[in-house]
């Protein structure tokens, strides 16, 4: 049986299941490979940071499939399999838009990237992403993008 639920509290097992489901879903995608140095361990950090941030200040909807019987795809063999999810932030909140969100694994993700990838992200990817988003949704929605690695100023 398939069911959709809002995750109010993200358990460790759900975090791991969702992380692995996202890795399977985005495996081989060019942009994903570029922002993770094509390394599974970096991809896991990226997904975990995003899921934790969304659980903190956004909302996660998860599709569970009780009939999907593959215990190798989930951290808790007694729980239903996560087969899809949607993560979103409401008005006034953005992904990695607060220090509280970034503290949940974003810096660990950044520290795992090669210097070349960080340079590319800061000098090429973020400015282009910001320009595309400004053209599609306006500059007010993109104020947090393009701030390098978004570390607090010391």
């Amino acid at each position: 049986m398939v069911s959709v639920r809002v995750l109010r509290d993200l358990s460790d097992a759900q975090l791991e299941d969702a992380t692995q489901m996202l890795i399977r879903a985005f495996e081989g995608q060019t942009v994903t490979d570029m922002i993770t140095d094509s390394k599974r361990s970096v991809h896991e950090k990226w997904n975990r940071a995003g899921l934790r941030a969304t659980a903190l200040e956004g909302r996660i909807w998860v599709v569970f499939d009780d009939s999907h019987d593959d215990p190798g795809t989930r951290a808790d063999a007694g729980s239903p399999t996560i087969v899809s999810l949607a993560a979103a932030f409401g008005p006034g909140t953005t992904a990695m838009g607060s220090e509280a969100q970034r503290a949940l694994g974003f810096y660990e993700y950044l520290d795992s990237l090669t210097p070349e990838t960080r340079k590319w992200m800061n000098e090429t990817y973020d400015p282009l992403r910001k320009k595309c988003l400004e053209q599609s949704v306006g500059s007010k929605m993109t104020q947090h993008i393009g701030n390098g690695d978004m570390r607090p100023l010391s």
Side-chain angles (χ1 to χ4, degrees):
M1 173 181 217
V2 174
S3 61
V4 179
R5 297 179 223 151
V6 174
L7 288 184
R8 305 227 184 269
D9 295 305
L10 185 63
S11 73
D12 291 343
Q14 289 169 332
L15 174 64
E16 189 58 28
D17 290 349
T19 295
Q20 297 308 318
M21 185 275 305
L22 289 169
I23 286 173
R24 290 188 304 276
F26 290 99
E27 188 173 29
Q29 296 287 320
T30 301
V31 172
T32 301
D33 287 346
M34 292 168 69
I35 65 172
T36 63
D37 287 328
S38 297
K39 295 179 184 171
R40 184 179 183 94
S41 62
V42 178
H43 194 175
E44 288 174 344
K45 289 175 185 177
W46 168 253
N47 286 333
R48 286 186 190 110
L51 289 164
R52 287 180 184 126
T54 308
L56 179 68
E57 295 182 355
R59 186 167 283 173
I60 301 172
W61 293 265
V62 177
V63 179
F64 291 102
D65 185 352
D66 297 330
S67 65
H68 188 273
D69 191 19
D70 183 1
T73 63
R74 54 188 190 270
D76 179 4
S79 66
T81 301
I82 296 174
V83 294
S84 186
L85 68 82
F89 292 87
T93 309
T94 57
M96 301 304 165
S98 72
E99 178 57 30
Q101 288 182 45
R102 293 188 293 271
L104 295 173
F106 184 69
Y107 298 129
E108 182 182 345
Y109 154 73
L110 289 175
D111 291 342
S112 66
L113 295 172
T114 62
E116 294 82 13
T117 298
R118 285 185 72 163
K119 181 179 181 189
W120 171 80
M121 286 182 71
N122 288 333
E123 296 177 6
T124 305
Y125 180 72
D126 280 344
L128 286 174
R129 181 172 60 130
K130 183 175 182 178
K131 181 179 178 182
C132 288
L133 286 170
E134 283 178 348
Q135 290 175 348
S136 61
V137 297
S139 61
K140 186 174 182 181
M141 296 294 293
T142 60
Q143 293 171 351
H144 73 287
I145 298 172
N147 298 326
D149 64 15
M150 297 191 276
R151 292 183 187 273
L153 299 174
S154 47

